Amino acid sequence: MKIGVLGAGQLGRMMAISGYPLNHQFGFSGNSSDEPSALLGHMFALEDNADNIKYLVDFADVITYESENTNVEVVREISKNVPVYPGEKSLFTTQHRGREKALFNQLNIPCAPYQMVSSEQDLIDAVNTIGLPAILKTATEGYDGKGQFLMRNISEITEAWKSMNGVESILEGFVNFKRELSVIAVRGIDNNHKYYPLVENTHHDGILRFTIAPAQNIDPTVQKTAEHYMQTLLDEMDHIGVLTIELFETENGLVANEMAPRVHNSGHWSIDGANTSQFENHVRAITGMPLGDTTPTHSYCAMINIISKIGPTNTVLNMPNAHLHLYDKEERANRKLGHINITANSQAELDESIKKLKDFLP
Ligand code: AMP
């Protein structure tokens, strides 16, 4: 099939790399023709022609997207001619933190208490209801910790509201978590579901730096709970493709943070560490192919993001159990340029490998 991707970053690039062996073709609509996906398919760059989304739609049998910030109206228009997966409901829900949390509550998925905020007075009211500490976040378009203000004291109300630049926001109660986890699931057109194991994520300056897969010391009932949450979300949104949910592990169990209707950075380990990667499973799902097995190939995997600078990549290339993935991007502060996957058969082997790659960690 011909798969059209709205966006042309590293996620589209890795979808294409996984999709060619299945005999699919790819087209991308990015801003410019030097984006990471550009050489992996037909590139419909918007800088060349503002109508290029139309040409992408003409090219494609099915459309998918790389970002939850994709315009819902554009997707609705496209869907009149070509199927778009995941569909409008998944996109509409996941691009707004308030709608996301309302759905968590509707489906009895625990999440932080929250209140929507559109003025300084709203923020005062929300702080009175939720208490402090709390986190003020923009309702839409926040990523990598951008557009967030951690409030510890009532005296910070004016400063916190100012930092939102007047946009609709959400005040969330602070969750006292032990670890940050995420789970990735995929649902096919035939309503089949598959789940990857919970993974543990470490952020630095708001950016994911490091994932351990599977997360260690997870009780099987916790994995089952995560899968149950996922199943209810996939079914409720009639979601086709990969869905990711970021979770906090707390003393009282899992608490949902946010969702992404797409392949996710915390699933990049699966390229080298699972029988079928998240990218291949997304491609399989949206093209109506049977889903692939999600079982990890090793008991211990890790993913290290390469951020800002490429670093000493020969160290990676000289290790038998490390795999380098670069995205063809120029070095720039805080930019995701690639990642390294590590596979190991013991905790000791994993620790030893990570130590060799310490130059890539903050
Ligand atoms: P987010 O953009 O929602 O993923 O938030 C970025 C990071 O801020 C998360 O990975 C957490 O480390 C932290 N964070 C977000 N929301 C909360 C919360 N309600 N309580 C505690 N920490 C949070």
Side-chain angles (χ1 to χ4, degrees):
M1 285 178 82
K2 293 191 173 76
I3 299 172
V5 184
L6 300 172
Q10 63 263 24
L11 301 181
R13 177 185 172 92
M14 289 186 274
M15 270 182 224
I17 290 170
S18 75
Y20 280 114
L22 304 177
N23 239 3
H24 297 303
Q25 293 178 26
F26 288 81
F28 304 93
S29 81
N31 290 323
S32 73
S33 47
D34 65 354
E35 289 190 57
S37 300
L39 295 176
L40 280 138
H42 304 268
M43 184 68 198
F44 301 91
L46 297 174
E47 71 172 9
D48 297 337
N49 184 341
D51 286 336
N52 255 339
I53 288 187
K54 182 179 164 316
Y55 295 110
L56 178 79
V57 174
D58 290 345
F59 158 85
D61 300 314
V62 60
I63 295 270
T64 189
Y65 44 85
E66 280 191 314
S67 165
E68 53 276 29
N69 296 325
T70 303
N71 187 310
V72 176
E73 274 76 40
V74 169
V75 162
R76 189 174 302 144
E77 258 327 285
I78 295 174
S79 319
K80 291 177 185 162
N81 300 305
V82 181
V84 182
Y85 299 130
E88 195 185 313
K89 187 163 186 188
S90 297
L91 184 61
F92 183 70
T93 307
T94 57
Q95 67 184 210
H96 186 278
R97 291 182 190 274
R99 291 198 282 268
E100 213 166 55
K101 288 217 164 36
L103 184 62
F104 291 152
N105 281 331
Q106 181 196 322
L107 299 176
N108 293 318
I109 298 171
C111 66
Y114 73 99
Q115 201 159 309
M116 302 312 294
V117 170
S118 293
S119 66
E120 191 170 329
Q121 184 57 48
D122 282 355
L123 182 55
I124 294 167
D125 295 343
V127 167
N128 281 334
T129 313
I130 288 168
L132 294 177
I135 303 191
L136 187 64
K137 304 177 180 178
T138 55
T140 60
E141 302 213 342
Y143 68 97
D144 288 347
K146 292 188 175 65
Q148 303 199 359
F149 193 106
L150 170 59
M151 299 178 66
R152 298 172 198 278
N153 201 298
I154 278 205
S155 63
E156 292 168 323
I157 283 183
T158 301
E159 188 191 351
W161 174 243
K162 236 190 200 157
S163 74
M164 297 291 114
N165 289 319
V167 301
E168 188 193 15
S169 302
I170 182 171
L171 187 73
E172 293 181 13
F174 189 85
V175 178
N176 221 338
F177 60 83
K178 292 192 283 188
R179 291 191 286 183
E180 292 193 72
L181 306 174
S182 59
V183 63
I184 292 179
V186 58
R187 179 169 177 266
I189 291 170
D190 58 0
N191 195 23
N192 200 2
H193 302 68
K194 298 257 184 201
Y195 306 94
Y196 289 89
L198 281 158
V199 300
E200 177 179 346
N201 300 317
T202 304
H203 298 84
H204 188 256
D205 289 339
I207 303 177
L208 179 68
R209 296 306 297 239
F210 185 60
T211 295
I212 293 184
Q216 301 298 304
N217 304 316
I218 294 285
D219 191 288
T221 60
V222 175
Q223 175 70 27
K224 279 275 154 250
T225 302
E227 292 182 9
H228 171 68
Y229 293 161
M230 271 306 210
Q231 189 191 338
T232 57
L233 289 163
L234 289 166
D235 291 343
E236 177 62 27
M237 297 192 291
D238 196 13
H239 186 96
I240 309 289
V242 161
L243 178 71
T244 305
I245 180 163
E246 295 180 28
L247 300 149
F248 299 122
E249 183 184 36
T250 74
E251 293 293 346
N252 303 316
L254 297 175
V255 173
N257 178 24
E258 61 175 351
M259 290 188 281
R262 56 170 170 81
V263 287
H264 193 260
N265 196 168
S266 69
H268 290 2
W269 65 275
S270 63
I271 298 174
D272 300 295
N275 280 337
T276 315
S277 77
Q278 62 164 349
F279 298 99
E280 181 174 335
N281 259 332
H282 183 70
V283 168
R284 287 185 185 213
I286 65 172
T287 56
M289 295 177 118
L291 302 181
D293 181 50
T294 49
T295 310
T297 53
H298 292 73
S299 311
Y300 301 84
C301 298
M303 189 275 324
I304 298 174
N305 264 342
I306 300 176
I307 312 266
S308 305
K309 289 211 167 313
I310 301 275
T313 48
N314 278 354
T315 311
V316 186
L317 297 173
N318 284 323
M319 290 168 64
N321 61 337
H323 308 270
L324 182 64
H325 300 266
L326 294 175
Y327 309 150
D328 195 13
K329 286 164 92 173
E330 297 283 320
E331 293 184 342
R332 198 198 296 156
N334 294 332
R335 197 173 201 206
K336 289 177 182 171
L337 306 171
H339 70 271
I340 302 161
N341 285 338
I342 305 163
T343 53
N345 293 312
S346 67
Q347 183 75 55
E349 189 191 355
L350 186 72
D351 291 347
E352 194 54 37
S353 307
I354 292 167
K355 217 184 274 169
K356 286 187 189 147
L357 297 168
K358 64 180 181 337
D359 288 343
F360 293 93
L361 287 164

